[in-house]
């Protein structure tokens, strides 16, 4: 008898899907004949279909559905989503409360133009976000919300707002942005211009507006024996010199507070954020906090800025905002910024829009996500989970080729070296990360290394058993990938 999803026996066995390697292979064929995947050298997928040994290929993983922190493949196997599906998922896949909120909203109002119209999910979400946003004593709080529909678009909004605010005041010399080395803010041309991940940026460099890059406070770059805080202070001193040198030319500093995620999960001491805030104030420069990846409890506090006790002038939120269900970005701005656009002239208005600005379904999903933070005491649970992650990471840190283990709340990252030392990184050409990725998939874990940096960024609902699987798998794939690549 052919087993299908309707077969009660299959459901009882907990499969619920007629997966097999043949089904998955057929799906790969179908996919690759029509899809161009994001952030992918498609040839690495194509090779997967060629006969012969599967080295240097990137397996395409067909997913049938999701369940908590698990992805269920068309091959019938379960995969632990250790990267929260590109850092968006907070409470697991197919979270019922979020699903319900989307379904309910879909029967009410799916979308309406937000220019000239208003609707409840957009307003309620703005009220809640402003109430939650980081605060700083003596500073006016974030007061207005502008929606975009993805992180990069939100970064564009923040950059344009900062620039335009000065234009409106007649400060035409303020045309430059300062960004951090090793930072990442998205893939659109404006966002790419303030990013410094060479793999994404280099080829488009001729198209990009010029940004001023300042040294990263990244603790990994500290000299031997130097503390993270001391390195962060030095980076802040460099920022001070840059701001002095370009006095009156800069409209904003943009940074990822606490963790430069796409740049390799590089972490810094919060003292840098304090100093950066002070320096921005001294120089009359806006501070844009890009919390697209680190917001919503990822680094231990609701927002990473809280760890430095600072509030930015512009705050970009996305990824976890909808719990990983729908694309949405919120850019929070101060009243001062907002008022800089109030005028009789339309050109002084912020004439930026996206068709799906403030989409009601996405806002409803975000409201459900914030509801879960309220009802489930998420941050307290995350503290316990991150303690467990720290214990497990420490045992992996003992591995002879691990050069660095670092953690910020629900993010753990491992960096490698031939001699277990930062000074002797693996040869990137050996593609240790790709081998680790494949080996982890074979063991039922979706780890997606950034270059050769392995990291854990699981949904918050991950339990002890899943964490144990993650740690065992990580230890095993490090050995296997080193064997395969002979890079150590
Ligand atoms: C992912 C990310 C972005 C871009 O968001 P998209 O929704 O992928 O466009 C911007 N900034 C940071 C810090 C990110 O991690």
């Amino acid at each position: 008898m052919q087993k299908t999803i309707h077969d009660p026996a299959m459901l009882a066995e907990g499969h619920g899907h007629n997966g097999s390697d043949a089904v998955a292979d057929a799906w790969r064929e179908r996919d690759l004949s029509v899809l161009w995947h994001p952030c992918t050298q498609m040839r690495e997928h194509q090779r997967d279909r060629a006969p012969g040994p599967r080295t240097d290929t990137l397996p395409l993983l067909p997913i049938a559905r999701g369940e908590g922190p698990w992805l269920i493949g068309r091959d019938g196997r379960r995969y632990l989503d250790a990267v929260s599906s590109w850092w968006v998922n907070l409470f697991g896949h197919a979270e019922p409360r979020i699903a319900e909120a989307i379904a309910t909203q879909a029967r009410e109002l799916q979308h309406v133009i937000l220019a000239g119209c208003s609707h409840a999910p957009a307003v309620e979400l703005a009220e809640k976000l402003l109430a939650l946003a980081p605060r700083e004593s003596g500073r006016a709080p974030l007061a207005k919300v502008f929606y975009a529909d993805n992180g990069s678009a939100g970064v564009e909004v923040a950059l344009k707002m900062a620039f335009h605010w000065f234009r409106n005041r007649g400060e035409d010399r303020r045309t430059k942005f300062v960004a951090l080395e090793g930072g990442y803010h998205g893939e659109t041309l404006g966002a790419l211009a303030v990013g410094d991940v060479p793999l994404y940026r280099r080829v488009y460099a001729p198209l990009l507006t010029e940004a001023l890059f300042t040294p990263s406070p990244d603790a990994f770059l500290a000299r031997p024996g130097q503390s993270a805080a001391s390195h962060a202070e030095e980076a802040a001193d460099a920022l001070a010199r840059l701001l002095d040198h370009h006095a009156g030319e800069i409209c904003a500093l943009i940074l990822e507070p606490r963790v430069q995620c796409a740049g390799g999960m590089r972490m810094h001491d919060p003292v840098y954020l304090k100093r950066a805030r002070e320096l921005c104030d001294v120089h009359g420069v806006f501070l844009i906090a890009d919390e697209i990846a680190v917001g919503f409890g990822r680094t231990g506090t609701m927002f990473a800025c809280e760890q430095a006790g600072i509030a930015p002038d512009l705050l970009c939120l996305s990824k976890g905002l909808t719990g990983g269900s729908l694309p949405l970005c919120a850019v929070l701005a101060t009243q001062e910024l907002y008022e800089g656009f109030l005028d009789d002239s339309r050109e002084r208005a912020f004439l930026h829009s996206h068709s799906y600005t403030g989409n009601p379904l996405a806002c409803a999903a975000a409201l459900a996500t914030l509801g879960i933070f309220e009802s489930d005491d998420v941050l307290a649970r995350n503290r316990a989970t991150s303690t467990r992650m720290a214990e497990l990471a420490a045992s992996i840190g003992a591995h002879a080729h691990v050069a660095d283990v670092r953690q910020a709340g629900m993010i753990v990252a491992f960096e490698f070296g031939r001699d277990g030392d930062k000074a002797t990184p693996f040869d990137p050409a050996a593609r240790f990360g790709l081998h680790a990725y494949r080996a982890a998939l074979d063991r039922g874990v979706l780890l997606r290394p950034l270059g050769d940096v392995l990291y854990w960024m699981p949904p918050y609902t991950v339990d002890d058993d899943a964490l144990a699987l993650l740690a065992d798998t990580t230890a095993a794939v490090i050995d296997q990938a080193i064997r395969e690549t002979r890079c150590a």
Side-chain angles (χ1 to χ4, degrees):
M1 190 189 88
Q2 209 200 340
K3 291 186 169 181
T4 72
I5 194 162
H6 304 297
D7 183 341
M10 282 294 287
L11 291 170
E13 286 164 34
H15 298 273
H17 195 272
N18 60 339
S20 72
D21 288 341
V23 169
D25 280 342
W27 190 268
R28 285 187 193 100
E29 287 289 330
R30 187 171 165 190
D31 175 300
L32 293 175
S33 67
V34 292
L35 284 197
W36 191 339
H37 287 262
C39 202
T40 299
Q41 172 47 268
M42 290 303 293
R43 200 164 179 191
E44 292 171 5
H45 279 326
Q46 300 289 352
R47 277 200 218 109
D48 207 27
R49 301 197 294 171
R54 291 166 42 145
T55 57
D56 269 14
T57 62
L58 186 67
L60 179 67
L61 181 62
I63 299 300
R65 59 193 182 85
E67 188 184 285
W70 300 93
L71 296 164
I72 291 100
R74 285 187 177 267
D75 56 8
R77 297 179 61 204
R78 293 162 71 83
Y79 297 88
L80 179 64
D81 186 354
V83 297
S84 296
S85 282
W86 253 344
W87 323 339
V88 300
N89 193 291
L90 304 187
F91 306 121
H93 293 277
E95 210 292 329
R97 289 165 287 185
I98 297 174
E100 194 50 44
I102 295 170
T104 304
Q105 183 59 43
R107 286 187 287 267
E108 256 337 282
L109 175 69
Q110 293 171 349
H111 188 67
V112 63
I113 176 173
L114 198 65
C117 291
S118 175
H119 59 79
V123 173
E124 284 170 24
L125 179 60
E127 289 168 351
K128 286 221 153 75
L129 289 175
L130 292 171
L132 277 172
R135 288 184 184 248
E136 184 179 338
S137 65
R139 185 179 303 282
L142 293 162
K144 291 288 185 289
V145 175
F146 192 98
Y147 290 113
D149 40 25
N150 64 74
S152 305
V155 167
E156 303 279 340
V157 164
L159 296 173
K160 283 176 69 179
M161 271 182 184
F163 167 82
H164 196 164
W165 189 88
F166 284 112
R167 284 265 137 168
N168 282 351
R169 298 199 354 150
E171 291 194 46
D172 290 355
R173 279 183 63 234
R174 296 227 187 220
T175 56
K176 295 193 168 82
F177 298 107
V178 177
L180 269 54
E181 290 173 2
Y184 177 85
H185 302 286
E187 299 294 340
T188 53
L189 293 178
L192 211 48
V194 289
D196 180 42
V197 176
L199 182 62
Y200 306 139
R201 181 196 163 91
R202 208 182 295 129
V203 65
Y204 301 105
L207 302 181
L208 304 178
T209 57
E210 207 183 311
L212 299 167
F213 287 97
T214 187
S216 172
D218 174 5
F220 187 78
L221 303 177
R223 292 185 301 275
Q226 187 186 26
S227 73
S230 150
H231 177 70
E233 292 278 7
E234 279 182 13
D237 294 340
L239 173 63
R241 288 191 294 274
L242 184 74
L243 292 172
D244 276 337
H245 190 73
H246 293 276
E249 299 171 16
I250 294 163
C251 35
L253 164 68
I254 184 166
L255 50 74
E256 297 162 271
R258 281 294 278 120
V259 188
Q260 295 185 296
C261 292
M265 298 297 165
R266 295 294 186 84
M267 301 173 187
H268 56 255
D269 190 285
V271 72
Y272 183 80
L273 303 172
K274 244 193 188 39
R275 289 278 314 275
R277 176 69 274 186
E278 288 163 10
L279 289 166
C280 284
D281 286 341
V282 167
H283 289 269
V285 164
F286 289 120
L287 176 62
I288 303 172
D290 178 351
E291 294 223 17
I292 288 168
V294 295
F296 300 104
R298 189 49 81 174
T299 70
T301 45
M302 191 62 174
F303 299 107
C305 281
E306 293 168 35
Q307 293 173 39
I310 63 149
D313 302 294
L314 287 156
L315 175 65
C316 300
L317 303 173
S318 187
K319 293 208 164 106
L321 173 58
T322 61
S325 61
L326 284 169
L328 180 67
C329 181
V331 181
L332 280 58
T334 58
Q335 186 68 17
E336 183 190 23
L337 255 152
Y338 172 77
E339 287 180 358
F341 292 80
L342 299 178
D343 197 276
D344 291 333
S345 149
R346 287 201 79 206
E347 246 182 57
R348 285 170 189 252
F350 191 59
L351 299 184
H352 182 109
S353 63
H354 297 284
S355 309
Y356 282 98
T357 298
N359 175 254
L361 298 174
C363 290
L367 283 166
T369 300
L370 296 183
I372 294 172
F373 274 98
E374 280 169 27
S375 61
D376 290 12
D377 206 357
V378 172
L379 296 183
R381 186 183 194 278
N382 281 3
R383 275 193 288 279
T385 309
S386 54
T387 302
R388 183 75 196 120
M389 284 164 68
E391 291 160 9
L392 293 166
S395 67
I396 292 167
H399 191 287
H401 299 292
V402 174
D404 190 44
V405 185
R406 48 186 180 264
Q407 181 175 19
M410 294 294 291
I411 308 174
V412 169
F414 305 93
E415 204 127 2
F416 300 87
R418 272 178 285 128
D419 309 317
D421 190 285
K422 294 193 225 185
T424 59
F426 291 163
D427 175 6
R431 304 200 64 186
F432 167 81
L434 175 65
H435 285 257
Y437 175 76
R438 266 205 318 258
L441 274 189
D442 285 343
R443 290 175 160 82
V445 176
L446 178 61
L447 274 179
R448 200 173 191 280
L450 291 158
D452 290 348
V453 176
L454 296 192
Y455 68 91
W456 300 342
M457 198 155 164
Y460 301 165
T461 48
V462 69
D463 63 15
D464 274 359
D465 287 347
L467 283 178
L469 170 72
L470 179 54
D472 290 347
T473 302
T474 304
V477 306
I478 292 170
D479 287 330
Q480 183 175 338
I482 287 174
R483 266 199 315 278
E484 288 174 2
T485 57
R486 298 196 201 88
C487 60

